[in-house]
Amino acid sequence: MKARIKINIFKYCIILILALFSFLVIKVNVFASTWKYVWENTVIHVPLYDEIKLYEDIPKATLYRDNEKLDANIVYLKEGDWLHFLKDVNTSKTGTYYVWYKAFEYDKYFPGTCNGYKALITFIVEDKTPPNIKIYLNEINERRIIKHDEKRLNEILNNNVSVLDNYSQVEISFIHNIDLSVIGRYKVFVFASDQDNNINSNEFFLNIFDDNYPIIYFNAPNDYLKIAKNAEIDIKSYFQAVDEVDGDISERIIYPEIDLSKTGKKEIEVIVKNSGGNITKKNVVIEVVDDVAPIIELVSNFITLDYLIDIESLNLVKYISKIEDDEIINYDNLTISHNLENKVGNYQIFYNYNDGVNETNEILDVKMISFNGPTIIVNEVVINEGEYVNLNDFIEVTDPSDNNVLSTLTINDDSVNYEKEGIYYAGVYAINSSGMSTTKKIRIIVNKKNNNLMTIIIILCVFLSLLLAVLATLFGMYIYKKYKSKKNIDI
């Protein structure tokens, strides 16, 4: 038995030694192996304004052991470190950006100890989109000028083109052989290039023609001019003629004769011709008018009227002192309006005089008031000494011109002694909105307090008490008598 136990112990020792030996061999082989990461796609091109999130997964690492590629489960840290971070990549600005990436393999290899586990990734934000050239008109028509003007030509070409680019400054250039003084159809080539050398092109045509007509300007609204009668004025000063080639040709305008001594309207035609023989005509209306405005003088700027006045029969003309004009005064040209009402308040009368050319306006301010004060009706007040009374209950205030006159009621009863027998008077005052007031006195009689009533009340109380006592005695005697009668019957 002991021998068998020794054999088993020996066997287990041999197995333990072999296992330890195997572990040491494997451990030696592990530490003896060469591990490394090899990175791919470490330079990434990112279009301008694109999201960096779409490109952050492109860089990849492959794990090798002894130069043999492993099927590894690699995880990455992409945020970056040590001055190079993913958050610093600005996709709205072209340029080169760097980010530190790290690769880890937790299953097959302890992370961070083999070669190449960290790589500097390059993100290149670049603009590959050429500028967009927009042509407003495929054909531009311009009149010929007497001498070529390069500055004007550049304005014409640039005004027909707009260029949009997503980032860079754009340089625009034109290729052509245009001469603004020579009639023809010219082809214009447009080129646009940005800072990243993205180039685009387009084209349009410029037609130079000559159908130039002068322009006549008339310095009056709607080609209608009013001139004062007998005015010392030169009609030519209101006109100007301009031609694109000849320039200012106002001195070539031909005018008809105009008589400024007579009022009235007249349609006239002025004519001008440029050096190319093109003729322009313009019809305008000139009216010779009386320029002296009439004057209305009122007897006053303010009047006061009784609000009960008959407005319909009111003579409003009488408030005019005079009307002056350089023409004969015609009262048919006088217009009078108003907003008067038979109510207390402020109103206006409007006067207008129009002589057919000029008009004048005046306003007369009117104040409608009441010439009567409020009506106050009072009733005599009779009270006992110490008795409370509301004097408003004995007063009535009315005014047909002022519905709120009651709110102005004032009672002065300072001289009334409500605690002492006597005859007193209190002042009553009210004023309406027209400033008219009324004052009255209300008579107040204070009687001596009557003590006989209390005596009568006491006597009545004593009498009632005695009466109740007699009634109670009679009732008791009645009950007692009835009780004795019943007792005798029972016996």
Side-chain angles (χ1 to χ4, degrees):
M1 185 68 177
K2 290 182 179 180
R4 185 177 296 176
I5 292 174
K6 289 180 179 180
I7 291 172
N8 289 335
I9 293 174
F10 178 75
K11 183 192 296 185
Y12 291 138
C13 290
I14 294 298
I15 293 172
L16 181 61
I17 292 171
L18 291 175
L20 181 61
F21 178 76
S22 299
F23 172 77
L24 291 175
V25 170
I26 293 171
K27 192 71 174 179
V28 170
N29 288 334
V30 169
F31 285 104
S33 298
T34 301
W35 297 76
K36 67 178 180 179
Y37 286 103
V38 176
W39 289 82
E40 298 176 1
N41 301 326
T42 58
V43 178
I44 301 97
H45 294 267
V46 180
L48 189 67
Y49 295 118
D50 218 342
E51 294 186 17
I52 191 64
K53 291 289 185 182
L54 301 176
Y55 301 89
E56 64 179 1
D57 294 333
I58 294 177
K60 299 293 183 181
T62 304
L63 181 61
Y64 287 85
R65 185 180 65 185
D66 296 333
N67 294 325
E68 181 179 345
K69 180 179 178 181
L70 298 180
D71 184 15
N73 183 23
I74 299 175
V75 294
Y76 299 90
L77 294 181
K78 307 169 187 177
E79 289 81 5
D81 65 359
W82 191 244
L83 302 181
H84 298 293
F85 299 93
L86 187 66
K87 62 182 178 60
D88 295 327
V89 180
N90 184 2
T91 59
S92 64
K93 183 177 181 181
T94 59
T96 302
Y97 303 87
Y98 300 99
V99 181
W100 280 112
Y101 272 41
K102 292 180 181 180
F104 300 104
E105 217 295 344
Y106 293 94
D107 296 332
K108 293 185 173 58
Y109 189 78
F110 188 76
T113 58
C114 67
N115 295 331
Y117 84 100
K118 184 176 181 181
L120 189 63
I121 308 302
T122 303
F123 289 94
I124 301 175
V125 179
E126 56 191 3
D127 180 11
K128 291 296 184 181
T129 304
N132 179 31
I133 302 176
K134 180 180 179 181
I135 304 297
Y136 295 111
L137 296 174
N138 291 326
E139 299 247 356
I140 303 177
N141 297 316
E142 285 291 325
R143 289 187 177 88
R144 178 183 69 88
I145 59 177
I146 195 168
K147 183 180 179 181
H148 179 71
D149 185 341
E150 191 67 25
K151 182 178 179 181
R152 181 182 173 190
L153 175 60
N154 287 332
E155 290 178 356
I156 294 171
L157 300 181
N158 281 288
N159 288 338
N160 194 44
V161 174
S162 67
V163 179
L164 297 176
D165 189 65
N166 60 357
Y167 175 72
S168 304
Q169 294 182 353
V170 180
E171 181 178 344
I172 305 173
S173 60
F174 300 94
I175 297 180
H176 57 79
N177 59 346
I178 298 173
D179 188 338
L180 294 178
S181 65
V182 179
I183 297 174
R185 187 171 186 264
Y186 299 90
K187 192 171 187 178
V188 181
F189 296 94
V190 186
F191 296 90
S193 60
D194 60 19
Q195 292 179 342
D196 294 298
N197 295 321
N198 297 306
I199 300 175
N200 204 353
S201 64
N202 210 331
E203 61 186 42
F204 62 92
F205 291 91
L206 176 62
N207 299 317
I208 308 298
F209 64 96
D210 189 5
D211 64 346
N212 177 60
Y213 283 80
I215 300 175
I216 299 176
Y217 297 99
F218 184 50
N219 187 22
N222 302 319
D223 293 337
Y224 190 100
L225 176 65
K226 288 184 179 181
I227 299 179
K229 184 174 63 175
N230 297 320
E232 295 181 0
I233 192 170
D234 185 5
I235 296 296
K236 297 179 181 180
S237 63
Y238 288 90
F239 291 89
Q240 182 184 18
V242 178
D243 185 78
E244 281 197 29
V245 175
D246 297 342
D248 191 335
I249 54 174
S250 301
E251 73 281 355
R252 302 182 194 176
I253 300 177
I254 301 174
Y255 304 91
E257 291 187 5
I258 301 174
D259 187 0
L260 299 180
S261 63
K262 297 180 180 180
T263 60
K265 296 180 183 178
K266 184 176 182 181
E267 183 174 347
I268 66 171
E269 181 182 74
V270 296
I271 302 172
V272 68
K273 181 169 67 173
N274 66 7
S275 60
N278 296 323
I279 297 175
T280 297
K281 300 178 181 180
K282 189 175 185 67
N283 293 321
V284 300
V285 176
I286 294 179
E287 182 179 6
V288 180
V289 297
D290 176 14
D291 65 339
V292 178
I295 298 174
I296 299 176
E297 290 187 6
L298 302 177
V299 296
S300 175
N301 293 324
F302 175 81
I303 61 173
T304 301
L305 298 176
D306 189 341
Y307 84 105
L308 296 176
I309 195 170
D310 185 359
I311 297 175
E312 296 298 327
S313 62
L314 188 62
N315 182 10
L316 302 179
V317 178
K318 71 177 182 180
Y319 300 110
I320 298 177
S321 174
K322 64 179 178 179
I323 300 176
E324 292 183 351
D325 194 20
D326 63 345
E327 300 287 343
I328 297 175
I329 300 300
N330 183 357
Y331 275 84
D332 291 338
N333 297 329
L334 176 65
T335 302
I336 304 176
S337 61
H338 63 82
N339 59 359
L340 303 179
E341 294 184 58
N342 289 115
K343 295 180 180 179
V344 172
N346 296 315
Y347 303 91
Q348 291 179 320
I349 302 174
F350 307 94
Y351 296 90
N352 174 276
Y353 187 86
N354 190 324
D355 63 4
V357 178
N358 300 295
E359 68 175 325
T360 188
N361 297 281
E362 289 293 337
I363 297 176
L364 176 59
D365 292 318
V366 180
K367 186 172 185 178
M368 305 288 272
I369 67 171
S370 172
F371 288 95
N372 299 313
T375 299
I376 300 177
I377 299 175
V378 298
N379 296 309
E380 187 177 74
V381 180
V382 179
I383 59 174
N384 293 321
E385 291 175 333
E387 185 178 345
Y388 169 78
V389 65
N390 185 357
L391 296 182
N392 288 291
D393 297 337
F394 297 85
I395 302 171
E396 182 181 351
V397 180
T398 59
D399 192 316
S401 71
D402 187 353
N403 294 329
N404 296 317
V405 68
L406 184 60
S407 63
T408 68
L409 175 63
T410 303
I411 302 173
N412 184 2
D413 61 349
D414 292 343
S415 62
V416 179
N417 187 349
Y418 293 97
E419 304 296 330
K420 184 178 180 181
E421 179 185 12
I423 298 175
Y424 304 93
Y425 292 90
V428 180
Y429 172 84
I431 184 170
N432 61 22
S433 58
S434 299
M436 306 299 294
S437 63
T438 300
T439 302
K440 276 201 171 186
K441 289 185 178 181
I442 181 171
R443 186 179 184 185
I444 303 172
I445 300 175
V446 180
N447 292 324
K448 189 172 184 63
K449 185 181 293 186
N450 190 354
N451 295 324
N452 294 329
L453 180 61
M454 185 60 67
T455 303
I456 293 171
I457 292 173
I458 294 171
I459 293 172
L460 285 175
C461 290
V462 172
F463 175 76
L464 289 174
S465 298
L466 292 174
L467 180 61
L468 288 174
V470 171
L471 291 175
T473 302
L474 292 175
F475 182 74
M477 292 174 66
Y478 169 75
I479 295 298
Y480 175 76
K481 186 177 181 181
K482 191 173 182 180
Y483 171 76
K484 266 190 103 175
S485 297
K486 184 177 179 182
K487 188 174 181 185
N488 293 331
I489 293 171
D490 290 340
I491 295 171

